[in-house]
Amino acid sequence: MSNLDQHICLLGLGYVGLPTAAILAVNGFHVIGVDPKREVVNAINSGDVLLDEVGLKTLVQAAVNSGNLRAQTGPAPADAFVIAVPTPIREDQSADLSYVEQAARSILPHLRAGNLVVLESTVPPGTTSGMLVAILSESGLVPGRDLFVAHCPERVLPGRILAELVQNDRVVGGIDDESGERAASIYRRIVEGEVVVVSAVAAELAKLVENASRDVAIAFANEVARISHEQGVDAREVIALANRHPRVNILQPGPGVGGHCIPVDPWFLISAAPEAARLIRTAREINDSQPLWIAERALQELAGIPDPKVSLWGVAYKGNVDDPRETPALKVLTALEKRGVRVSAVDFHVKRFPRELEDLETSVTGADLILLLTDHREFGFLEPEAIGQRMRRRIVFDTRGCLSLDRWQQAGFRLLSL
Ligand code: SAJ
Protein backbone atom coordinates (compact mmCIF):
# COMPACT_ATOMS: atom_id res chain seq x y z
CA MET A 1 0.00 0.00 0.00
CA SER A 2 1.46 3.42 -0.83
CA ASN A 3 1.26 6.13 1.80
CA LEU A 4 -1.15 8.00 -0.52
CA ASP A 5 -3.95 5.69 0.55
CA GLN A 6 -2.74 4.80 4.04
CA HIS A 7 -4.81 6.13 6.92
CA ILE A 8 -3.26 6.73 10.31
CA CYS A 9 -5.10 7.52 13.51
CA LEU A 10 -2.70 9.16 15.99
CA LEU A 11 -3.73 9.50 19.63
CA GLY A 12 -2.28 12.29 21.78
CA LEU A 13 -1.57 15.65 20.15
CA GLY A 14 1.12 16.94 22.52
CA TYR A 15 4.80 17.77 22.08
CA VAL A 16 5.48 14.46 20.35
CA GLY A 17 2.14 13.43 18.82
CA LEU A 18 1.34 16.70 17.06
CA PRO A 19 4.68 17.10 15.24
CA THR A 20 4.56 13.40 14.31
CA ALA A 21 1.00 13.72 12.97
CA ALA A 22 1.96 16.80 10.94
CA ILE A 23 5.09 15.20 9.47
CA LEU A 24 3.15 12.07 8.51
CA ALA A 25 0.50 14.27 6.87
CA VAL A 26 2.92 16.38 4.82
CA ASN A 27 4.48 13.12 3.64
CA GLY A 28 1.19 11.97 2.14
CA PHE A 29 -0.40 9.88 4.89
CA HIS A 30 -4.06 10.62 5.70
CA VAL A 31 -3.91 11.43 9.39
CA ILE A 32 -6.67 11.76 11.96
CA GLY A 33 -5.17 13.29 15.10
CA VAL A 34 -7.04 12.55 18.32
CA ASP A 35 -6.97 14.49 21.55
CA PRO A 36 -9.64 14.62 24.27
CA LYS A 37 -9.08 18.37 24.74
CA ARG A 38 -11.56 20.26 22.57
CA GLU A 39 -9.46 23.47 22.58
CA VAL A 40 -6.43 21.55 21.23
CA VAL A 41 -8.53 19.99 18.45
CA ASN A 42 -10.18 23.29 17.47
CA ALA A 43 -6.85 25.12 17.41
CA ILE A 44 -5.21 22.53 15.13
CA ASN A 45 -8.13 22.43 12.69
CA SER A 46 -7.90 26.20 12.32
CA GLY A 47 -4.12 25.98 11.77
CA ASP A 48 -3.19 27.17 15.23
CA VAL A 49 -0.89 25.53 17.79
CA LEU A 50 -1.02 25.97 21.56
CA LEU A 51 2.56 24.72 22.06
CA ASP A 52 5.69 26.83 21.65
CA GLU A 53 8.05 24.78 19.47
CA VAL A 54 10.25 26.09 16.66
CA GLY A 55 8.58 25.67 13.25
CA LEU A 56 5.63 23.67 14.57
CA LYS A 57 2.89 26.14 13.69
CA THR A 58 4.04 26.46 10.07
CA LEU A 59 4.25 22.69 9.72
CA VAL A 60 0.80 22.11 11.23
CA GLN A 61 -0.70 24.77 8.94
CA ALA A 62 0.87 23.06 5.92
CA ALA A 63 -0.46 19.68 7.09
CA VAL A 64 -4.00 20.99 7.69
CA ASN A 65 -4.02 22.94 4.40
CA SER A 66 -2.92 19.83 2.49
CA GLY A 67 -6.16 18.18 3.65
CA ASN A 68 -4.15 15.29 5.13
CA LEU A 69 -4.42 16.27 8.81
CA ARG A 70 -7.64 16.61 10.72
CA ALA A 71 -8.04 16.64 14.50
CA GLN A 72 -10.96 15.26 16.47
CA THR A 73 -11.77 14.24 20.04
CA GLY A 74 -12.27 10.52 19.38
CA PRO A 75 -10.61 7.84 17.21
CA ALA A 76 -11.72 6.64 13.78
CA PRO A 77 -10.99 3.51 11.72
CA ALA A 78 -7.52 3.50 10.12
CA ASP A 79 -4.81 1.21 8.76
CA ALA A 80 -2.45 2.10 11.59
CA PHE A 81 -2.95 3.52 15.09
CA VAL A 82 -0.13 5.43 16.78
CA ILE A 83 -0.34 6.10 20.53
CA ALA A 84 1.66 9.09 21.78
CA VAL A 85 0.14 9.88 25.17
CA PRO A 86 1.90 10.84 28.43
CA THR A 87 3.22 8.22 30.86
CA PRO A 88 3.89 10.11 34.11
CA ILE A 89 4.89 8.62 37.45
CA ARG A 90 2.66 8.29 40.47
CA GLU A 91 3.53 9.52 43.97
CA ASP A 92 5.15 6.15 44.71
CA GLN A 93 7.32 6.47 41.56
CA SER A 94 5.51 3.67 39.72
CA ALA A 95 4.51 4.23 36.09
CA ASP A 96 1.06 5.68 35.54
CA LEU A 97 -0.04 3.88 32.36
CA SER A 98 -3.66 5.01 32.57
CA TYR A 99 -3.42 7.24 29.45
CA VAL A 100 -1.97 4.38 27.40
CA GLU A 101 -4.70 2.11 28.71
CA GLN A 102 -7.45 4.61 27.85
CA ALA A 103 -6.02 5.25 24.38
CA ALA A 104 -5.72 1.52 23.65
CA ARG A 105 -9.28 0.87 24.83
CA SER A 106 -10.62 3.77 22.78
CA ILE A 107 -9.44 2.16 19.53
CA LEU A 108 -10.92 -1.29 20.28
CA PRO A 109 -14.24 -0.62 18.49
CA HIS A 110 -12.34 0.56 15.38
CA LEU A 111 -9.78 -2.25 15.06
CA ARG A 112 -9.89 -4.48 11.97
CA ALA A 113 -7.83 -7.48 10.94
CA GLY A 114 -4.55 -6.35 9.41
CA ASN A 115 -4.29 -3.17 11.50
CA LEU A 116 -1.00 -2.02 12.98
CA VAL A 117 -0.80 -0.47 16.48
CA VAL A 118 2.36 1.48 17.38
CA LEU A 119 3.07 2.67 20.92
CA GLU A 120 5.36 5.73 20.98
CA SER A 121 4.91 6.60 24.66
CA THR A 122 7.82 5.71 26.96
CA VAL A 123 6.87 2.64 29.01
CA PRO A 124 8.37 0.16 31.51
CA PRO A 125 9.95 -2.95 29.97
CA GLY A 126 7.35 -5.56 29.00
CA THR A 127 4.43 -3.14 28.58
CA THR A 128 4.01 -3.58 24.81
CA SER A 129 3.96 -7.38 24.78
CA GLY A 130 2.13 -7.47 28.11
CA MET A 131 -0.44 -4.80 28.91
CA LEU A 132 -0.90 -3.42 25.38
CA VAL A 133 -1.32 -6.83 23.75
CA ALA A 134 -3.74 -7.87 26.52
CA ILE A 135 -5.97 -4.84 25.94
CA LEU A 136 -5.91 -5.16 22.15
CA SER A 137 -6.90 -8.84 22.50
CA GLU A 138 -10.20 -7.70 24.01
CA SER A 139 -11.20 -6.74 20.46
CA GLY A 140 -11.44 -10.44 19.62
CA LEU A 141 -8.55 -10.04 17.17
CA VAL A 142 -5.32 -11.86 18.00
CA PRO A 143 -2.14 -9.74 18.14
CA GLY A 144 0.60 -11.52 16.20
CA ARG A 145 -1.98 -13.13 13.92
CA ASP A 146 -4.69 -10.56 13.08
CA LEU A 147 -2.98 -7.44 14.44
CA PHE A 148 0.55 -6.07 14.20
CA VAL A 149 1.87 -4.40 17.36
CA ALA A 150 5.11 -2.47 17.88
CA HIS A 151 6.84 0.00 20.19
CA CYS A 152 8.64 2.90 18.56
CA PRO A 153 9.77 5.25 21.34
CA GLU A 154 10.04 8.92 20.53
CA ARG A 155 13.50 10.43 21.10
CA VAL A 156 13.09 14.09 20.16
CA LEU A 157 14.58 16.97 22.13
CA PRO A 158 12.12 19.76 23.00
CA GLY A 159 13.39 22.91 21.28
CA ARG A 160 14.65 20.81 18.32
CA ILE A 161 11.68 18.50 17.86
CA LEU A 162 11.11 18.91 14.12
CA ALA A 163 14.76 18.50 13.18
CA GLU A 164 15.26 15.51 15.48
CA LEU A 165 12.02 13.83 14.41
CA VAL A 166 13.40 13.60 10.89
CA GLN A 167 17.15 13.27 11.50
CA ASN A 168 17.41 10.88 14.47
CA ASP A 169 17.66 7.12 14.08
CA ARG A 170 14.55 5.27 15.25
CA VAL A 171 14.35 2.01 17.16
CA VAL A 172 11.27 -0.08 16.34
CA GLY A 173 10.44 -3.05 18.54
CA GLY A 174 7.84 -5.48 17.24
CA ILE A 175 6.00 -8.15 19.19
CA ASP A 176 7.12 -10.28 16.21
CA ASP A 177 9.23 -9.70 13.09
CA GLU A 178 6.32 -8.79 10.82
CA SER A 179 5.00 -6.22 13.32
CA GLY A 180 8.43 -4.59 13.53
CA GLU A 181 8.81 -4.45 9.76
CA ARG A 182 5.30 -3.00 9.23
CA ALA A 183 5.93 -0.24 11.75
CA ALA A 184 9.41 0.44 10.34
CA SER A 185 7.96 0.88 6.84
CA ILE A 186 5.95 3.89 8.10
CA TYR A 187 8.90 5.51 9.90
CA ARG A 188 11.20 4.95 6.91
CA ARG A 189 8.90 7.25 4.91
CA ILE A 190 9.34 10.17 7.31
CA VAL A 191 12.77 9.66 8.89
CA GLU A 192 16.16 10.36 7.33
CA GLY A 193 18.00 8.51 10.12
CA GLU A 194 18.29 4.74 10.20
CA VAL A 195 15.25 2.73 11.35
CA VAL A 196 16.40 -0.33 13.30
CA VAL A 197 14.02 -3.23 13.98
CA VAL A 198 14.43 -5.15 17.26
CA SER A 199 12.22 -6.84 19.86
CA ALA A 200 9.62 -4.78 21.74
CA VAL A 201 11.41 -5.15 25.09
CA ALA A 202 14.78 -4.15 23.59
CA ALA A 203 13.17 -0.96 22.21
CA GLU A 204 11.53 -0.25 25.59
CA LEU A 205 14.83 -0.70 27.43
CA ALA A 206 16.85 1.31 24.91
CA LYS A 207 14.60 4.35 25.38
CA LEU A 208 14.75 4.15 29.18
CA VAL A 209 18.50 3.63 29.19
CA GLU A 210 19.00 6.70 26.94
CA ASN A 211 17.28 8.99 29.40
CA ALA A 212 18.77 7.30 32.48
CA SER A 213 22.22 7.76 30.94
CA ARG A 214 21.61 11.49 30.58
CA ASP A 215 20.27 11.67 34.14
CA VAL A 216 23.39 9.93 35.49
CA ALA A 217 25.64 12.24 33.44
CA ILE A 218 23.88 15.36 34.78
CA ALA A 219 24.02 13.99 38.34
CA PHE A 220 27.77 13.62 37.92
CA ALA A 221 28.04 17.28 36.86
CA ASN A 222 25.87 18.32 39.82
CA GLU A 223 28.07 16.32 42.18
CA VAL A 224 31.15 18.01 40.71
CA ALA A 225 29.42 21.34 41.46
CA ARG A 226 28.99 20.46 45.13
CA ILE A 227 32.58 19.17 45.49
CA SER A 228 34.00 22.23 43.70
CA HIS A 229 31.94 24.58 45.88
CA GLU A 230 33.32 22.95 49.03
CA GLN A 231 36.83 23.54 47.66
CA GLY A 232 36.03 27.15 46.73
CA VAL A 233 36.54 26.55 42.98
CA ASP A 234 34.17 27.32 40.09
CA ALA A 235 32.71 24.00 38.89
CA ARG A 236 32.25 25.15 35.30
CA GLU A 237 35.95 25.95 35.16
CA VAL A 238 36.85 22.53 36.59
CA ILE A 239 34.56 20.83 34.06
CA ALA A 240 35.93 22.86 31.15
CA LEU A 241 39.46 21.87 32.20
CA ALA A 242 38.56 18.19 32.56
CA ASN A 243 36.78 18.26 29.19
CA ARG A 244 40.09 19.18 27.54
CA HIS A 245 40.93 15.50 27.96
CA PRO A 246 40.08 13.77 24.66
CA ARG A 247 37.94 11.07 26.31
CA VAL A 248 36.14 13.16 28.94
CA ASN A 249 32.87 14.92 28.17
CA ILE A 250 31.15 16.10 31.36
CA LEU A 251 27.75 17.80 31.08
CA GLN A 252 26.78 21.04 32.82
CA PRO A 253 25.59 21.38 36.43
CA GLY A 254 22.38 23.29 37.05
CA PRO A 255 19.51 23.74 39.50
CA GLY A 256 18.25 20.17 38.93
CA VAL A 257 16.64 18.06 36.23
CA GLY A 258 13.17 18.82 34.97
CA GLY A 259 10.91 17.99 32.07
CA HIS A 260 8.46 15.14 31.65
CA CYS A 261 11.09 12.57 30.62
CA ILE A 262 14.42 12.51 32.39
CA PRO A 263 13.15 12.85 36.00
CA VAL A 264 10.51 10.20 35.23
CA ASP A 265 11.87 7.50 32.92
CA PRO A 266 14.74 6.26 35.14
CA TRP A 267 12.14 5.24 37.74
CA PHE A 268 10.68 2.77 35.24
CA LEU A 269 14.07 1.03 35.23
CA ILE A 270 14.48 1.30 39.01
CA SER A 271 11.03 -0.27 39.56
CA ALA A 272 11.76 -3.03 37.05
CA ALA A 273 15.16 -3.87 38.57
CA PRO A 274 15.35 -2.42 42.10
CA GLU A 275 18.43 -4.43 43.10
CA ALA A 276 20.44 -3.83 39.95
CA ALA A 277 19.63 -0.16 39.28
CA ARG A 278 21.76 1.33 42.10
CA LEU A 279 23.66 4.00 40.16
CA ILE A 280 20.49 5.10 38.38
CA ARG A 281 18.68 5.48 41.73
CA THR A 282 21.52 7.49 43.27
CA ALA A 283 21.60 9.79 40.23
CA ARG A 284 17.87 10.42 40.65
CA GLU A 285 18.40 11.27 44.32
CA ILE A 286 21.26 13.67 43.53
CA ASN A 287 19.31 15.48 40.81
CA ASP A 288 16.13 15.60 42.89
CA SER A 289 17.97 17.20 45.81
CA GLN A 290 19.82 19.74 43.66
CA PRO A 291 17.05 22.41 43.86
CA LEU A 292 17.27 22.31 47.67
CA TRP A 293 21.06 22.70 47.53
CA ILE A 294 20.59 25.75 45.29
CA ALA A 295 17.95 27.19 47.66
CA GLU A 296 20.32 26.67 50.63
CA ARG A 297 23.10 28.55 48.85
CA ALA A 298 20.74 31.46 48.11
CA LEU A 299 19.56 31.45 51.75
CA GLN A 300 23.15 31.64 53.02
CA GLU A 301 23.61 34.73 50.88
CA LEU A 302 20.43 36.33 52.22
CA ALA A 303 21.22 35.58 55.90
CA GLY A 304 20.72 38.64 58.09
CA ILE A 305 18.78 40.64 55.47
CA PRO A 306 15.40 41.72 56.86
CA ASP A 307 12.35 40.69 54.74
CA PRO A 308 14.50 39.37 51.87
CA LYS A 309 13.22 39.32 48.29
CA VAL A 310 14.46 37.12 45.45
CA SER A 311 13.86 37.86 41.78
CA LEU A 312 13.67 34.36 40.28
CA TRP A 313 14.54 34.22 36.58
CA GLY A 314 13.07 31.36 34.61
CA VAL A 315 10.59 28.67 35.63
CA ALA A 316 10.69 26.54 32.47
CA TYR A 317 12.54 23.26 33.01
CA LYS A 318 15.19 24.35 30.51
CA GLY A 319 16.09 27.29 28.30
CA ASN A 320 13.93 28.60 25.46
CA VAL A 321 10.98 26.26 25.98
CA ASP A 322 7.58 27.10 27.48
CA ASP A 323 7.30 23.87 29.47
CA PRO A 324 7.41 24.00 33.29
CA ARG A 325 6.67 20.30 33.91
CA GLU A 326 8.74 18.88 36.79
CA THR A 327 10.74 22.09 36.80
CA PRO A 328 13.34 22.46 39.56
CA ALA A 329 12.23 26.11 39.80
CA LEU A 330 9.05 25.17 41.68
CA LYS A 331 11.07 23.29 44.31
CA VAL A 332 13.53 26.16 44.72
CA LEU A 333 10.70 28.69 44.95
CA THR A 334 8.81 26.65 47.55
CA ALA A 335 11.95 26.05 49.64
CA LEU A 336 12.74 29.78 49.70
CA GLU A 337 9.18 30.79 50.58
CA LYS A 338 9.08 28.24 53.41
CA ARG A 339 12.03 30.08 54.92
CA GLY A 340 10.29 33.45 54.76
CA VAL A 341 11.76 34.78 51.50
CA ARG A 342 9.51 36.77 49.16
CA VAL A 343 9.95 35.33 45.67
CA SER A 344 8.90 37.07 42.47
CA ALA A 345 9.28 34.85 39.41
CA VAL A 346 9.60 35.99 35.81
CA ASP A 347 9.61 33.92 32.60
CA PHE A 348 9.36 35.15 29.00
CA HIS A 349 8.24 31.77 27.63
CA VAL A 350 6.01 30.03 30.18
CA LYS A 351 2.32 30.96 29.99
CA ARG A 352 0.83 28.55 32.52
CA PHE A 353 2.45 27.96 35.90
CA PRO A 354 0.98 26.94 39.28
CA ARG A 355 2.30 30.19 40.82
CA GLU A 356 1.88 33.80 39.77
CA LEU A 357 4.48 35.11 37.32
CA GLU A 358 5.38 38.80 37.24
CA ASP A 359 6.96 41.12 34.71
CA LEU A 360 10.67 41.76 34.90
CA GLU A 361 10.36 45.27 36.33
CA THR A 362 8.08 44.19 39.18
CA SER A 363 10.23 41.15 39.85
CA VAL A 364 13.54 43.01 40.27
CA THR A 365 12.17 46.06 42.09
CA GLY A 366 13.34 45.95 45.71
CA ALA A 367 14.97 42.52 45.23
CA ASP A 368 18.10 41.53 47.14
CA LEU A 369 19.19 38.74 44.82
CA ILE A 370 18.57 37.57 41.25
CA LEU A 371 18.39 33.78 41.10
CA LEU A 372 18.71 32.64 37.49
CA LEU A 373 17.35 29.10 37.11
CA THR A 374 16.59 28.81 33.37
CA ASP A 375 18.92 29.79 30.54
CA HIS A 376 16.36 31.57 28.34
CA ARG A 377 18.26 33.55 25.71
CA GLU A 378 16.53 36.83 26.66
CA PHE A 379 18.26 36.94 30.05
CA GLY A 380 21.62 37.35 28.33
CA PHE A 381 20.49 40.59 26.67
CA LEU A 382 19.36 42.41 29.81
CA GLU A 383 21.20 45.51 30.96
CA PRO A 384 22.77 44.94 34.44
CA GLU A 385 22.98 48.62 35.39
CA ALA A 386 19.30 49.33 34.65
CA ILE A 387 18.30 46.25 36.63
CA GLY A 388 20.66 47.03 39.52
CA GLN A 389 19.11 50.48 39.94
CA ARG A 390 15.77 48.91 40.81
CA MET A 391 17.18 46.41 43.29
CA ARG A 392 17.83 46.81 47.00
CA ARG A 393 21.08 44.82 46.80
CA ARG A 394 23.12 43.85 43.76
CA ILE A 395 23.65 40.10 43.97
CA VAL A 396 23.19 37.68 41.08
CA PHE A 397 23.32 33.86 41.36
CA ASP A 398 23.59 32.35 37.89
CA THR A 399 22.96 28.59 38.24
CA ARG A 400 23.18 28.05 34.46
CA GLY A 401 26.37 29.87 33.57
CA CYS A 402 24.55 31.87 30.91
CA LEU A 403 25.17 35.49 31.95
CA SER A 404 28.20 37.46 30.90
CA LEU A 405 29.52 37.83 34.42
CA ASP A 406 32.04 40.58 33.54
CA ARG A 407 29.18 42.91 32.60
CA TRP A 408 27.35 42.21 35.85
CA GLN A 409 30.53 42.66 37.86
CA GLN A 410 31.19 46.00 36.18
CA ALA A 411 27.69 47.09 37.23
CA GLY A 412 28.67 46.40 40.85
CA PHE A 413 27.01 43.01 41.26
CA ARG A 414 28.30 40.35 43.61
CA LEU A 415 28.39 37.15 41.54
CA LEU A 416 27.56 33.61 42.57
CA SER A 417 27.84 30.64 40.26
CA LEU A 418 28.17 26.86 40.46
N1 SAJ B 1 20.26 19.61 32.08
C1 SAJ B 1 21.30 19.97 32.94
N2 SAJ B 1 22.59 19.92 32.48
C2 SAJ B 1 22.89 19.51 31.21
C3 SAJ B 1 21.83 19.12 30.33
C4 SAJ B 1 20.52 19.18 30.81
O1 SAJ B 1 21.09 20.34 34.09
O2 SAJ B 1 24.07 19.51 30.86
C5 SAJ B 1 18.86 19.65 32.57
C6 SAJ B 1 17.97 20.57 31.73
O3 SAJ B 1 18.07 21.90 32.16
C7 SAJ B 1 16.60 19.97 32.02
C8 SAJ B 1 16.89 18.47 32.11
O4 SAJ B 1 18.28 18.37 32.38
O5 SAJ B 1 16.08 20.42 33.25
C9 SAJ B 1 16.54 17.68 30.88
O6 SAJ B 1 16.82 18.43 29.70
P1 SAJ B 1 17.43 17.78 28.37
O7 SAJ B 1 17.61 18.86 27.38
O8 SAJ B 1 18.62 16.96 28.70
O9 SAJ B 1 16.33 16.70 27.91
P2 SAJ B 1 14.73 16.76 27.63
O10 SAJ B 1 14.05 16.26 28.86
O11 SAJ B 1 14.29 18.06 27.08
O12 SAJ B 1 14.63 15.63 26.48
C10 SAJ B 1 15.11 14.31 26.76
C11 SAJ B 1 16.04 13.91 25.60
N3 SAJ B 1 16.79 12.71 25.95
C12 SAJ B 1 18.13 12.65 25.79
O13 SAJ B 1 18.81 13.56 25.40
C13 SAJ B 1 18.77 11.34 26.12
C14 SAJ B 1 15.21 13.67 24.36
O14 SAJ B 1 16.02 13.17 23.31
C15 SAJ B 1 14.07 12.67 24.65
O15 SAJ B 1 13.25 12.46 23.51
C16 SAJ B 1 13.22 13.29 25.73
O16 SAJ B 1 14.02 13.43 26.89
C17 SAJ B 1 12.02 12.37 25.97
O17 SAJ B 1 10.91 12.72 25.52
O18 SAJ B 1 12.22 11.28 26.52
Side-chain angles (χ1 to χ4, degrees):
M1 196 184 294
S2 89
N3 50 342
L4 296 176
D5 47 22
Q6 201 162 2
H7 289 75
I8 295 184
C9 178
L10 189 149
L11 297 100
L13 297 173
Y15 283 95
V16 172
L18 180 56
T20 306
I23 286 190
L24 286 164
V26 296
N27 279 286
F29 291 94
H30 301 294
V31 184
I32 297 287
V34 179
D35 199 285
K37 293 196 191 102
R38 169 66 57 193
E39 72 266 24
V40 169
V41 165
N42 289 347
I44 293 166
N45 287 333
S46 56
D48 200 6
V49 166
L50 305 178
L51 309 170
D52 181 15
E53 176 64 36
V54 187
L56 184 58
K57 192 166 174 172
T58 313
L59 180 72
V60 168
Q61 282 170 350
V64 170
N65 291 340
S66 74
N68 277 345
L69 175 62
R70 193 160 46 83
Q72 54 190 51
T73 53
D79 301 300
F81 295 85
V82 178
I83 299 174
V85 295
T87 47
I89 38 170
R90 298 200 186 91
E91 288 276 310
D92 66 355
Q93 271 117 8
S94 66
D96 176 359
L97 298 176
S98 56
Y99 297 106
V100 174
E101 206 177 316
Q102 279 163 31
R105 284 194 198 289
S106 76
I107 63 175
L108 289 179
H110 305 284
L111 281 177
R112 295 178 308 224
N115 277 168
L116 165 70
V117 180
V118 181
L119 179 61
E120 281 217 10
S121 314
T122 306
V123 288
T127 305
T128 309
S129 296
M131 187 196 97
L132 183 60
V133 160
I135 294 175
L136 297 177
S137 303
E138 292 172 20
S139 66
L141 297 164
V142 180
R145 189 190 72 193
D146 311 319
L147 291 175
F148 303 102
V149 184
H151 177 51
C152 181
E154 61 85 9
R155 343 164 76 182
V156 290
L157 190 74
R160 281 184 43 80
I161 290 180
L162 297 189
E164 295 214 349
L165 199 51
V166 174
Q167 289 161 10
N168 292 0
D169 291 354
R170 290 301 285 258
V171 178
V172 177
I175 59 159
D176 51 31
D177 292 348
E178 182 66 15
S179 292
E181 285 305 330
R182 295 243 177 172
S185 74
I186 292 182
Y187 289 97
R188 289 197 178 109
R189 300 239 178 90
I190 60 169
V191 165
E192 286 168 9
E194 199 179 332
V195 179
V196 186
V197 181
V198 296
S199 70
V201 70
E204 288 163 341
L205 278 176
K207 164 70 193 195
L208 297 173
V209 166
E210 284 164 23
N211 279 354
S213 140
R214 195 152 170 87
D215 200 36
V216 169
I218 298 167
F220 183 79
N222 285 336
E223 191 162 285
V224 170
R226 297 188 200 189
I227 296 168
S228 303
H229 179 64
E230 280 178 20
Q231 301 297 324
V233 183
D234 185 297
R236 289 184 202 281
E237 191 188 341
V238 172
I239 289 171
L241 294 170
N243 282 349
R244 286 173 177 266
H245 186 286
R247 284 175 298 284
V248 173
N249 188 10
I250 304 169
L251 294 181
Q252 292 303 311
V257 171
H260 55 299
C261 310
I262 297 190
V264 173
D265 301 353
W267 287 113
F268 298 179
L269 286 174
I270 298 166
S271 309
E275 295 295 319
R278 289 162 54 201
L279 179 61
I280 295 173
R281 180 191 291 275
T282 303
R284 265 299 62 242
E285 286 163 3
I286 291 171
N287 288 335
D288 264 354
S289 63
Q290 187 75 352
L292 300 180
W293 184 70
I294 295 288
E296 272 313 317
R297 284 197 55 192
L299 284 163
Q300 280 164 17
E301 204 54 35
L302 295 168
I305 298 175
D307 190 24
K309 177 181 175 183
V310 163
S311 173
L312 190 147
W313 287 13
V315 298
Y317 80 93
K318 66 176 186 176
N320 308 317
V321 302
D322 67 346
D323 190 345
R325 280 179 291 177
E326 310 292 329
T327 178
L330 193 56
K331 283 191 186 170
V332 175
L333 192 155
T334 311
L336 290 174
E337 282 184 345
K338 265 194 192 149
R339 303 276 286 276
V341 177
R342 283 180 294 135
V343 183
S344 171
V346 56
D347 195 295
F348 302 119
H349 294 257
V350 172
K351 289 166 212 92
R352 279 180 288 265
F353 191 61
R355 309 294 280 272
E356 196 182 338
L357 297 174
E358 291 182 298
D359 60 46
L360 182 70
E361 202 177 306
T362 314
S363 177
V364 296
T365 301
D368 299 290
L369 181 146
I370 293 168
L371 179 53
L372 186 148
L373 297 179
T374 310
D375 44 348
H376 288 318
R377 66 178 80 80
E378 293 84 353
F379 293 135
F381 298 124
L382 298 175
E383 181 46 58
E385 180 51 40
I387 288 177
Q389 281 174 8
R390 297 191 172 275
M391 295 177 66
R392 187 159 63 171
R393 280 184 184 74
R394 297 191 183 203
I395 310 174
V396 63
F397 183 6
D398 177 6
T399 68
R400 294 287 189 173
C402 75
L403 297 178
S404 157
L405 294 181
D406 288 352
R407 288 175 61 222
W408 289 82
Q409 203 156 27
Q410 279 160 21
F413 274 82
R414 175 175 152 67
L415 309 174
L416 304 176
S417 55
L418 294 189

